[in-house]
Amino acid sequence: MPDAESPPPFHQDLGGRWQLAGTVSEAWRFLRLHTELEQPIGAFARTAWIPARVPGSVHDDLIRAGLIRDPNFGLASLQAEWVSARQWVYRRTFRVELPGCRRLQLRFDGSDYGGQVYLNGERLGALAGTHTPVWFDVSGLDVGAEHLLAVVLAEPPPEDGQLGRTSRTHTLKPRYGYGWDFSTRLIHVGLWRGVTLLGDQGTALRDLHVRTHLREDHHHAEVDVQLELDGDPQAPITAELTHPDGRVERQQVVGRTCRFPLADPELWWPVGLGGQPLYRLRAWVDGAAPLETRFGVREVQLVHNVASLARGARPYTLQVNGQPLYARGFNVVPADLLPGREGMAGRERRLVELAHAAHANLLRVNGVGGLASEAMLDRCDELGLMVWQEMPLSSSGSDNVPPDSPEFLAALERDLPALVRGARHHPCVVLLGGGNELTDEQRQPASEHQPTLARIAAIIAEHDGTRPFVPTSPSGPEYDLRPEVSLERPQDQHDVHGPWHYRGVHDSYRPYSVSRALMHSEFGCQAASREATLRRYLTDGPVWPMDDRNPQVVHHGDWWLMRHRIEEVFGPVEDLGRYVRLTQAVQADVLRHALACNRARPDECSAALVWQLNEPWPNAHNTSVIDYDLNPKLAYYRCRELNAPVALHLGLPGLPGPVAAGALTLQPRVLADRPGHGQLSVTLHDLNGGVVHHQTGPIGWPAAGAPFTVALPDGPALLRAELHGPDGTRLTRTEQWVAHDRPQPFAPLATLGDTTLSVERQADRLLVRNTGTTTALWISVEGPPGAAEPDDSGFSLLPGEQRHLGVMWVGPHGPLTVQALNTLPLDLHWSAP
């Protein structure tokens, strides 16, 4: 039996150190780069090879060799666009370390994009698309000889960027690198997945498909295993099932299937509903490498709620193991513009952990990118985050029509099965989609009857068939969240997208206040990245001004400029630090409002997913809540607040935003996963910290509390609420700045006098005090990139107030920087215990 703790036998990793050289067109063939290790001195310059890493990225190799600047910095990506206009030759030598094998096979797990493979100067064949494994039989290689393996990557296929035509798409290569609102144009190329030499005695397993069937009583299940055998069809196969508690069952079968019945199976649950036990299935034939996969036992469906059934809409409520749930979370895009960049797996796991810490239970892996990586899906399996995986097909500016050319359909047949197989064993993947924002010629959301989407659905059913499928999102009949539709034709608001831009204190809020959507699978608001991130990456000139007069700011996010909007609300702003904090404050406030309004409609709305969790490239302005350096922006903490098991919605019925004409009408509501009751206190403070209004009273939920009116002082005011349980324990808190509805309503905040803070470490907690005489506005707590996770950030402290925060370190300890809009930064060095 193979040893589970050691590298599998009959397996030789050919990753690691390679060499790389670029050529124009087929100069590599003329120079014999694929056949000869040495070139003679002559009229033609000898090729300068650079060290390369496999799996990896051509761009990453060129950065390490000093041949291009890192495209994250300044305008450097403009000088790196030539990389995708070259053909690239990878090569390495190796010796066979698998003696005694009758058959040798060379496997490429994925290349970006395609290529030709040569072994000892002889062409083996072609590689497929970005995601598709390819095998070559290389039996008979001399075990004692050194062999030259070369891969020639052609120029990547021409595809449209975001402002193009979906109908002209040729391949399933993710299009975000061709130029998108959240990334520059930088088309990735490279051997970005593994290369392996496999040996066997003439028969081996090629694929392993585990399907679980959970009975209605949840006390019985079957694990059906489908085995794909290459070689002798009568070869005995050993299949070994390891239970979450360590128990092992084993079967030996002849054929392509086996079954393990489970009594009282340990069920996999989404976070908040139960645990995440995982089973493991390992199978092998004698004399060949084993295959292994990890899986969970669970049943997932899309079911109706009362509103979707009444409207004749699709079902939108996720139900896992018979338990319907409210889905909340984020849209996710690739973790880096160069997916082959070193350290990607760690970045991806960290993003999942941050989403989990923000109380998300669903991540939508948007069709602008590719399949979520194994590292990301593994971490979602372990933490209970559900995944909605879309196929890599997305909208465009001129049309969103799914392509139907023979070239695309051939790529679909070749490459889509590998994408489906890459996701099907992960219990976290609960929903598969045909693509993002696909429509017909009239821009009406496409259905599963559209021929290309029908074929995608058929391929998914053939290679999985265990999960719900949705053709696209939004699913119509209306594409966008529009107030006039919500008010006049609410029955047409099913799954909708938008809005995404900050449009001031009225139009940024109103769509959510009147929304009647059954699912809100994409919406957002932009802000600037953290000041430290801006100063780190905008290196080709001054960072200020943050508008279209600054070429770097335009290059790093030309869709999301907002200085004019900020000044409509706060008056003129001429300071980078203040500008950054004000943009992040409004993003946080809009997303909190959107999440609260959606969650406050539990019988109507099934899901709310913020656009977006992360960004793959350091933008100056963006719609992400975590910046490129993996440090959260202020909006992340408001998403964490509103997605928590218990949250507060202050409920401003009819109000177009955080402004009012003289008085606020509030109708507080507790947003909770379970019914309950407690004590709610609401307080309104003026700018000096004085109490304008205070009241305390009982509240029960899920019903909304009774409405009441609060008169506003002349200037902006801080509205706060706290909820305590029956035993006096504080369950949640919230705060929001409000003001009179007038031009530049929050200008007094932008010009508020300076105050002072003090910070002190107390064990694993941070004590922050406002030691001055002025309210400290939007206090942030930031650590080194991706290293520290404070409990909260973006809160205000009145004069004399203090706040304790927990700080969890997930990277090397270092300084914490604490700063408000109107204070100087304070650094506290936090050494490891």
Side-chain angles (χ1 to χ4, degrees), residues 174-220:
R175 283 173 49 214
Y176 71 102
Y178 289 85
W180 222 262
D181 62 78
F182 55 78
S183 63
T184 191
R185 180 178 176 86
L186 201 69
I187 304 170
H188 182 255
V189 289
L191 281 179
W192 75 303
R193 290 191 169 165
V195 181
T196 309
L197 185 66
L198 294 164
D200 59 57
Q201 301 304 325
T203 301
L205 286 175
R206 276 289 186 88
D207 191 37
L208 179 67
H209 185 191
V210 176
R211 294 173 184 251
T212 61
H213 303 277
L214 181 62
R215 300 281 185 87
E216 191 173 339
D217 63 5
H218 292 177
H219 291 294
H220 298 85

Side-chain angles (χ1 to χ4, degrees), residues 53-67:
R53 181 179 57 84
V54 174
S57 160
V58 168
H59 293 85
D60 201 30
D61 296 329
L62 293 172
I63 293 167
R64 286 198 304 274
L67 297 178

